[in-house]
């Protein structure tokens, strides 16, 4: 049996952010690989009118947990959902629950975070820094704790081009930031935010960097490690390929491209898109948990979960594969045929934005007005472009992450552990992965019907014919206008027509001679 899987059996595991994308994949793998684990405590808040129990029921009944429901029929009994809101001072955990957590927890996986790039600094700090600090304080009071694993992001130091598995300190100490958030009002915080975040693009990356510093400072006496994934995509292999239930990362770009709304993305075609499958991140995280608990490294180790250095996926290749896949597995109700253009040049971006986004939206809105409907495309397009522009910082650049610790860990695993907890992306086939990505988006995220694919393909063929007809008509109108207004255009036109005529006559004559 796998040593790592055996380690988690009979353990009490605390997970924050278990209702999130990565948290669910983490729980699923734990139940599937170590069905004899004692209990998983999850800190959950009620949301969207659902109680804790309803949320847990919903998670356990989703497609992701299909295999777990068979392997571990009593899975419901092994999850202890604890009411908690991490943005509140004492996490709002009841006294009894807190006592149980403190006395029983063996391992903590801290995944909860606000991942929005545009989160106000106050709430980003509250969740990504203060909550981390408080969880570390709690961890310090747990006599049975063996390891604390903190999920950060490979982009926490994205102002650097080359990133090592170390902590890069922020100029202002986290304690000072936390303290200032207590007495500054919102208006002043908004004003100083750009100065504080400095070269970072948003409050997310800044607060995650502060969170790492807190982990380093407050976790000195704990057995602690940090995992830094890059852009997390759907599962690669486990429990099945293509599982995704989040719009984060690049899913929004893919959906907008699949619906034909977005054709241009600010990317340098030769740049690398550092995608990493969710199951790879989770396998590494579980291996890190085991290694930290059992081998107790003397210093806190940071592990990069990235793909670019060993199996680079270039933007151009991704654009081509995405277009091909979206033809094969189209998304429902496309506005246009998917097509991808990548550039970072400002002039080129403005040109393509006008020609392939705004012009189309205006024409479509005009068509809606003519057919007695309310125009909506320009508004929708502007919203999407605004959203996508906030991702531009990440799409227009490339980074290099070193992975010495991750490779060291891989070398420490037995062949069986390397197989069961595979985090080696050298053999990942990107074309296959993109196909499963689109399938996953269609099936699990958008919940579209697979049986509708032939109909959508037919619709796409109609759109292609309209596109050709529209372009040919536009070309002929332009020619006609030019010929009517310019002698030179007329000369060129007559030259082309007489050239074609002569060529055809020559071709016919030579065929007759041969006959
Ligand atoms: C791909 C094809 C394009 C063509 C290019 C072709 C080029 C050829 C070669 C290139 C190939 C293509 C390669 C592209 C790859 C680029 C790679 C880089 C991508 C960069 C991704 C960034 C990831 C960075 C990861 C950093 C690591 C982390 O740790 S991230 C943690 C995860 N966090 C996130 O990912 C959160 C990011 N998101 C946000 O913070 C917010 O969404 C936002 C701040 C970005 C935007 O907020 P906003 O309020 O504006 O939007 P939102 O609330 O999300 O939505 C507003 C409404 O708009 C609707 N909407 C949004 N998208 C769509 C859509 N696609 N279709 C329809 N409707 C959409 C949305 O539903 C909202 O509607 P309402 O709910 O009704 O308001
Ligand atoms: N996805 C990605 O591309 C990447 C993610 N990461 C990191 O991985 C971790 C997990 O990310 P991911 O799963 O994608 O994120 P999600 O947004 O999917 O999940 C976030 C989780 O945090 C919980 N949470 C947020 N606020 C609170 C709160 N106040 N109290 C209790 N719980 C709260 C959410 O609960 P609720 O369901 O109630 O909202 C949810 O379970 C994060 O630390 C993130 O920084 C790093 C790199 C890339």
């Amino acid at each position: 049996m796998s040593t790592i899987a055996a380690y988690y059996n009979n353990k009490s595991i605390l997970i924050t952010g278990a209702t999130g994308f990565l948290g669910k994949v983490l729980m699923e793998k734990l139940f599937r690989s170590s069905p004899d684990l004692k209990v998983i405590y999850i800190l959950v808040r009620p949301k969207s009118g659902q109680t804790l129990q309803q949320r847990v029921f919903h998670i356990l009944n989703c497609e992701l947990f299909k295999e777990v429901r068979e392997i571990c029929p009593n899975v419901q009994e092994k999850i202890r959902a604890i009411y908690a809101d991490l943005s509140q001072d004492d996490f709002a955990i009841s006294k009894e629950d807190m006592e149980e957590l403190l006395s029983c927890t063996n391992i903590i996986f801290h995944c909860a975070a606000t991942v929005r790039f545009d989160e106000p600094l106050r709430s980003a700090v509250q969740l990504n820094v203060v909550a981390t600090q408080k969880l570390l304080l709690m961890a310090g009071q747990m006599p049975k704790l063996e390891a604390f694993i903190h999920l950060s992001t490979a982009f926490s130091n994205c102002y650097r081009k080359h990133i090592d598995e170390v902590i890069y300190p922020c100029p202002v100490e986290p304690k000072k930031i936390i303290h200032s958030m207590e007495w500054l009002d919102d208006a002043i915080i908004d004003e100083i935010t750009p100065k504080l975040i400095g070269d970072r693009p948003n409050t997310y990356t800044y607060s995650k960097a502060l969170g790492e510093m807190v982990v380093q400072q407050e976790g000195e006496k704990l057995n602690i490690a940090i995992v830094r994934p890059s852009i997390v995509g759907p599962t690669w292999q486990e429990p099945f390929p293509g599982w995704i239930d989040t719009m984060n990362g690049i899913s929004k770009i893919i959906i907008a491209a699949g619906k034909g709304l977005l054709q241009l993305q600010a990317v340098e075609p030769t740049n690398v898109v550092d995608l990493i499958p969710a199951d790879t991140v989770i396998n590494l995280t579980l291996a890190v948990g085991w290694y930290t608990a059992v081998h107790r490294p003397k210093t806190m180790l940071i592990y990069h979960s990235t793909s670019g250095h060993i199996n680079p996926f270039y933007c151009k290749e991704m654009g081509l594969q995405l277009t091909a896949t979206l033809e094969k597995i189209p998304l429902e109700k496309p506005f246009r045929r998917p097509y991808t253009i990548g550039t970072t040049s400002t002039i080129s971006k403005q040109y393509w934005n006008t020609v392939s986004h705004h012009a189309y939206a205006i024409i479509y809105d005009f068509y809606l007005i003519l057919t007695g409907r309310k125009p909506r495309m320009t508004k929708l397009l502007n919203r999407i472009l605004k959203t996508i522009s906030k991702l531009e910082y990440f799409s227009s650049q490339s980074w290099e992450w070193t992975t010495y610790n991750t490779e060291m860990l891989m070398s420490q695993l037995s062949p069986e552990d390397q197989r069961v907890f595979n985090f080696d992306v050298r053999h990942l086939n990107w074309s296959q992965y993109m196909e499963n990505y689109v399938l996953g988006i269609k099936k699990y995220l958008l919940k579209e019907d697979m049986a509708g694919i032939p109909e959508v393909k037919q619709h796409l063929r109609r759109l292609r014919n309209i596109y050709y007809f529209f372009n040919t008509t536009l070309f002929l109108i332009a020619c006609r206008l030019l010929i009517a207004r310019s002698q030179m255009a007329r000369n060129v036109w007559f030259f082309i027509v007489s050239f074609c005529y002569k060529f055809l006559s020559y071709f016919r004559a030579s065929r007759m001679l041969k006959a």
Side-chain angles (χ1 to χ4, degrees), residues 59 65 69 84 115 125 160 174 207 216 240 270 349 362 380 388 403 413 428 441 506:
I59 291 173
F65 282 81
R69 288 194 295 270
V115 299
V125 167
R160 301 177 64 93
S207 57
Q216 190 183 40
F240 51 82
T270 51
K349 265 192 310 191
I362 291 169
L380 175 65
I388 301 294
T403 52
L413 303 192
L428 195 157
I441 285 185
Y506 170 78

Side-chain angles (χ1 to χ4, degrees), residues 16-24 43-47 55 59 84-88 91 110-116 126-128 131 150-155 204 208 227-233 245-246 248-250 276 281 305:
T16 70
T19 50
F21 172 50
L22 281 175
K24 276 181 258 183
L43 301 189
V44 198
R45 54 183 176 173
K47 201 176 174 185
R55 290 195 79 184
I59 291 173
D85 182 349
L86 301 188
S87 57
Q88 288 191 32
F91 291 172
H110 179 35
C111 306
T114 166
V115 299
R116 282 194 72 88
Q126 185 62 35
L127 199 63
N128 297 349
H150 173 75
L151 250 85
S152 187
T153 163
F155 292 93
Y204 169 68
K208 289 298 275 190
V227 177
R228 284 185 184 154
S230 49
I231 306 171
V232 184
D245 69 347
T246 178
N248 290 335
I250 64 166
I276 190 85
V281 176
S305 186

Side-chain angles (χ1 to χ4, degrees), residues 115-117 153 204 249-250 252-253 265 267 315 340 383 387:
V115 299
R116 282 194 72 88
F117 295 161
T153 163
Y204 169 68
I250 64 166
K252 257 185 205 160
I253 300 180
Q265 181 62 33
V267 292
C315 282
T340 56
R383 248 168 63 184
T387 300

Side-chain angles (χ1 to χ4, degrees), residues 232-275:
V232 184
T235 51
W236 166 26
Q237 292 164 319
E238 298 176 61
F240 51 82
W243 165 261
I244 182 134
D245 69 347
T246 178
M247 285 274 189
N248 290 335
I250 64 166
S251 302
K252 257 185 205 160
I253 300 180
I254 295 181
I255 295 170
K259 298 277 177 187
L261 293 163
L262 185 78
Q263 292 202 330
L264 170 78
Q265 181 62 33
V267 292
E268 197 56 67
T270 51
N271 277 356
V272 170
V273 190
D274 209 294
L275 263 183

